[in-house]
Structures are given as structure tokens and as C-alpha cells.
Amino acid sequence: MTDTTKSATLSIGGQTVELPVLSPSVGPDVLDIRKLYAQAGVFTYDPGYTSTASCDSTITYIDGDEGILLHRGYPIDQLASKSHYLEVCYLLLYGELPTAAQLEDFETRITRHTMIHEQMHNFFRGFRRDAHPMATMVGVVGAMSAFYHDSLDISDPWQREVASIRLIAKMPTIAAMAYKYSVGQPFVYPRNDLDYAANFLHMCFSVPAEKYEVNPILSRAMDRIFTLHADHEQNASTSTVRLASSSGANPFACIAAGIACLWGPAHGGANQACLEMLKEIGSVDRIPEFIARAKDKNDPFRLMGFGHRVYKNFDPRATVMKQSADEVLDLLGIEDNPLLQVAKELERIALQDEYFADKKLFPNVDFYSGIILEAMGFPTSMFTPIFALSRTVGWVSQWKEMISDPQMKIGRPRQLYLGANQRDYVNVENR
Ligand code: SDX
């Protein structure tokens, strides 16, 4: 476990406080400040949590300077090329790669939970057809707590397991139904003879009027996109799930909170925003104009799909995604996709620009994913729901890790108060 023989000495307000330094299995040491306020009467201050570890975890490790991403110790590029999404789900949930028998049992359990309660179909019909699918997903996933009463008790390990399987299994069905509802087509039920990614494509793109064959190239690319988005340490939406769960709220409500947070364009919404940006740029000769805007402090415009709080080197997922984009477009015969040309030239120019080099801004996971998803036939409004679908296993794994920790406490940060000191009420006639 952690080496607590190290400590740091803090002198503040005429006091000296010894703070333990905890060492990880890999990565930076952490300063344990849990007793700081009690001993020194001061808070730490870290809006945006740029230097704060909110928990300990054994699930995912990121080295932003080296561009490393490990899931339970396995590098993301190896998992993307050698594994598949449900096997990565097993790894994230249970900590080890499964044996063949364990994997078969897990895949069977997921497959048998892909349908949603028939009465939940009514929820979709309460939305306008032009509702963003993320609005629908937040609503329907939160409403799962109104249906699955036998997996709400988070103190029961069996109910936590059932809730985990249900969320991972049903998220593709809910995302596909949100898409079908938005395009006015009938819902398509999951099929148990299809694998996870193929089933999702089937539920999105098949129609009752004709036979639909899943393209194995697209299915493999879809599965790889799921894997690349599965988990990512304590990002904003995962931290949202952890904070919501710390109050003891049920898992469905907590995952709905994670979906809501992911929706933001600074986070999971960036894949939709990035493709819309590439379309707005339109051609390589307009790239300098947008690079200038991204560098202009008076212009709120940012290059979507660029930059990352942790990665100050290439996002290893973007590297894999870029290779996949080339493969998928080539295999689909989409030669010289103009958006891919703009993206590659934008990346080339930005990486040569000292503004981006100085600020260590590299393409992130969202930069190329939209190009693949659009080539597969998804509208931009479905990009973030697909991210949410993929990240459900990460949220659930981090949730299980926290809930099963006997030391778990409710998350309750403090603040630097800059408001008015105490003052007496003034009647309206005297104001
Ligand atoms: C995801 O956390 C995760 O792990 C998230 C994620 C996951 O898997 O869960 O990896 C998924 O959310 C990826 C990020 C997707 N978002 C985008 O692509 C949106 C565009 N990127 C930015 O908004 C930004 O880079 C963030 C939000 C991703 C990171 O912001 P930070 O870490 O708070 O950095 P910052 O805003 O303080 O920026 C540092 C500097 C600033 O300039 P200065 O004020 O120092 O002069 O870099 C600039 C920023 O203006 N900058 C950019 C930029 N990103 C940062 N300038 C132009 N274009 C950009 N994209």
C-alpha cells in the first residue's frame, strides 16, 4: 500500500504542521491534508482541482507528460488492438483480464440485460422529436431508478453488481432509442445473436422494412471507439458520479448526473463541437483564420478537440483514433474526405505553432472520433451519447470502487469566502 514514512512540514500562522506524504504505485506523491484544517485552521484552495487528488484508485493511470493511459496496468493501444470492449469492461470492473469462461459468462449476463422495461418506452414519447439525444439519455437513465427497484440498495454487493450489469447492458439500447426517436423511426429491439457493438449499430440503423446486415468493418471500428472512451481516471463526469454517489444516491441517478456533466463542450460534448468546427472551417485555406481566433485572448473560440487538463503530450487515444479514421474511411471507400483533410492539416499547422507548443496543446480523444462517427452514418447529435455509452463502464467501475470502500465519506468541499461580513436586516422603507 502507500508508504507513509515520508512527510512534509508546513509552517503557517506561526504553527508548524507535519503532513504525511503518500506514495502511489506509479506517478506523483500526494500530500495528505485530511487533518490540515483541524491542525492549522486553514483550507487548501484549488478551483478546477488542478493539483488535487480526490481519491485513491486502482483502475486507470494517466501520465500526461508521457502520453500514457493504462487500464488496470494495460496500455490503451494494446487493449484497442488486441482486446474488445466487453473484455475491457470486465477488466475495469473486476481488475483482471478474464479467462475464456469468465468472459463468456460476463458477455452472456450483459446480453441478457440489453432490453429495457417496456413501459420506459413512454418516457421517450414525452420529449420533443428535436430534443438533443443527451437530454433524452439524462432523463431516461435517471428514470431507471423508478423501475429497477431490486438494484437500488448500494449497501448490498449483489444489488451493486446487478445495477452495474444493467447500466452497461442497457445504455446502447437507450442511446439507440434516443436516436430512433429523434429521426422518427420505430425503436429496434436488441438481438442476442449480435455482439455489443454490432447490436448497437443494428438498433440504430436497421428498419423493419428491410433486412439490415451489420458491416463487420464498422462494427470493429465501433467497438474500438467504445474501448477508447471507456474510462479516464478522475475526469469531470467521473468526479460528478463519485460526488453524487458519496451521498448514497442510487446508481441510476448518479450515472444520469455523469451523463449531464459529460454533455458540456469542454468535456464529452467536444466531439460534436469539433466536427461542427471542422465543417465551419470547411477548407484548408481557412485554417489560419481559425488558428488566429484560437490564439486571440478576446475571442472565446477554442480549437475543439485540442488541449487537455492532463495530457501535455499526445493523447494516446487520439493516436489510435487517427489510425482508425484512416482505416475506416479507406475501407468505406471515402477517399479524400474533406473533413479528414482539414483535420490533418489543422493538426499539422497547430503543432507547428508556438502558441500551441508553448501551451502543450495536442489533439485529444475528441479530435478524430467525430470524423469516424460521421462516416458511419451518425448525426453529430449522437456523438456525445456514444461517448456516454462508452464511458458508462468507467463511471460504474469508479462508483463500485468508491461505494465498496468502508472509509467512504460524503464529499463536501469548503470555500474561500469573499462575500459580505455579517450585517443586520434593513426594512424596505429604509433602503
Ligand atoms: C475530454 O479530463 C478528461 O480526462 C476528459 C476526457 C475524458 O476522457 O474524460 O479526456 C475527455 O473532455 C477531452 C477534452 C475535450 N475538450 C475539448 O477539446 C475542448 C477544447 N479544449 C479546452 O477547452 C481545454 O483544453 C480543456 C477544457 C480540455 C482543458 O482546459 P484546462 O486544462 O482548464 O486548460 P485551460 O483552459 O486553463 O487552458 C490553458 C491555456 C489557456 O490559455 P492561457 O489562459 O494560459 O493564456 O491553453 C489555452 C487556454 O486559453 N487553451 C486553448 C485550448 N485549450 C486550452 N486555446 C485554444 N484552443 C484550445 N482548445
Side-chain angles (χ1 to χ4, degrees):
M1 193 34 190
T2 53
D3 167 8
T4 57
T5 54
K6 295 189 282 189
S7 68
T9 304
L10 176 68
S11 298
I12 184 165
Q15 293 192 69
T16 299
V17 180
E18 280 296 306
L19 296 170
V21 173
L22 308 181
S23 295
S25 41
V26 61
D29 283 353
V30 301
L31 186 60
D32 182 347
I33 58 166
R34 284 175 287 184
K35 294 188 168 40
L36 177 64
Y37 182 59
Q39 292 176 353
V42 296
F43 299 142
T44 59
Y45 181 64
D46 187 15
Y49 311 115
T50 54
S51 303
T52 294
S54 62
C55 61
D56 55 62
S57 180
T58 61
I59 299 172
T60 291
Y61 174 71
I62 303 171
D63 181 327
D65 295 327
E66 299 301 320
I68 291 171
L69 168 57
L70 308 177
H71 289 319
R72 304 288 191 179
Y74 296 97
I76 189 63
D77 59 315
Q78 291 184 29
L79 293 173
S81 59
K82 298 177 178 178
S83 184
H84 64 276
Y85 182 69
L86 282 190
E87 184 175 74
V88 172
C89 286
Y90 186 98
L91 175 66
L92 289 169
L93 284 167
Y94 306 114
E96 297 296 335
L97 289 169
T99 62
Q102 288 168 331
L103 181 58
E104 184 183 359
D105 168 66
F106 180 70
E107 290 182 334
T108 301
R109 284 191 290 146
I110 293 291
T111 299
R112 293 197 181 284
H113 278 81
T114 49
M115 288 177 68
I116 66 171
H117 191 293
E118 193 70 6
Q119 200 172 325
M120 289 185 77
H121 289 207
N122 299 328
F123 282 125
F124 292 85
R125 296 188 175 86
F127 288 91
R128 287 174 40 147
R129 288 280 182 180
D130 61 355
H132 194 292
M134 285 295 278
T136 312
M137 285 188 78
V138 169
V140 174
V141 172
M144 287 174 78
S145 41
F147 280 84
Y148 298 106
H149 297 137
D150 59 345
S151 57
L152 296 180
D153 179 358
I154 60 172
S155 66
D156 176 350
W158 173 244
Q159 293 197 36
R160 292 202 296 265
E161 179 69 11
V162 172
S164 303
I165 296 294
R166 278 180 167 147
L167 281 159
I168 294 166
K170 296 179 193 310
M171 207 58 79
T173 308
I174 292 168
M177 289 174 77
Y179 169 61
K180 283 304 205 185
Y181 185 72
S182 73
V183 293
Q185 290 182 0
F187 297 140
V188 174
Y189 287 92
R191 276 176 40 187
N192 289 358
D193 62 316
L194 295 176
D195 67 39
Y196 195 84
N199 213 356
F200 178 62
L201 294 174
H202 153 71
M203 291 187 285
C204 287
F205 296 127
S206 71
V207 290
E210 58 188 39
K211 189 168 172 53
Y212 175 79
E213 287 294 331
V214 177
N215 179 329
I217 298 161
L218 298 188
S219 180
R220 178 67 190 133
M222 189 82 265
D223 188 274
R224 184 176 295 156
I225 287 177
F226 291 164
T227 296
L228 292 173
H229 289 84
D231 188 50
H232 212 239
E233 197 210 68
Q234 306 311 320
N235 58 85
S237 54
T238 298
S239 299
T240 300
V241 171
R242 279 182 173 260
L243 194 57
S245 308
S246 72
S247 74
N250 75 72
F252 306 112
C254 296
I255 299 301
I259 296 172
C261 176
L262 185 78
W263 195 359
H267 191 12
N271 51 18
Q272 174 175 346
C274 180
L275 199 85
E276 288 164 355
M277 174 192 74
L278 293 174
K279 288 181 175 177
E280 187 185 357
I281 294 173
S283 64
V284 296
D285 54 14
R286 289 195 65 200
I287 289 174
E289 170 195 337
F290 284 82
I291 294 272
R293 285 187 57 195
K295 293 157 63 172
D296 179 356
K297 279 284 156 247
N298 299 315
D299 189 332
F301 172 79
R302 287 193 165 182
L303 278 190
M304 303 315 284
F306 260 80
H308 198 277
R309 171 63 58 77
V310 177
Y311 289 123
K312 302 310 174 189
N313 194 325
F314 254 90
D315 179 336
R317 301 168 297 174
T319 306
V320 178
M321 200 73 82
K322 180 177 178 179
Q323 292 159 2
S324 194
D326 278 328
E327 287 166 19
V328 170
L329 295 179
D330 182 45
L331 289 166
L332 288 175
I334 304 176
E335 304 300 333
D336 304 328
N337 175 297
L339 290 179
L340 185 59
Q341 301 317 320
V342 171
K344 287 184 172 179
E345 183 62 6
L346 176 60
E347 176 188 1
R348 187 188 66 80
I349 295 173
L351 294 183
Q352 289 176 344
D353 188 295
E354 64 179 359
Y355 172 92
F356 293 88
D358 291 349
K359 296 182 187 299
K360 299 183 187 306
L361 302 175
F362 291 85
N364 58 47
V365 67
D366 294 306
F367 189 64
Y368 284 103
S369 57
I371 291 167
I372 303 173
L373 293 173
E374 180 169 79
M376 296 171 82
F378 290 104
T380 53
S381 61
M382 277 301 290
F383 291 4
T384 309
I386 288 168
F387 193 150
L389 182 176
S390 313
R391 183 55 56 88
T392 296
V393 65
W395 291 329
V396 166
S397 302
Q398 303 264 353
W399 166 74
K400 282 182 74 174
E401 180 177 67
M402 185 185 85
I403 292 293
S404 50
D405 177 354
Q407 305 298 320
M408 186 199 85
K409 296 164 75 73
I410 189 168
R412 205 294 186 197
R414 300 305 301 273
Q415 63 181 4
L416 170 64
Y417 178 65
L418 299 176
N421 287 328
Q422 182 167 328
R423 52 185 170 166
D424 294 328
Y425 182 81
V426 177
N427 292 329
V428 66
E429 60 272 15
N430 300 326
R431 291 175 200 156

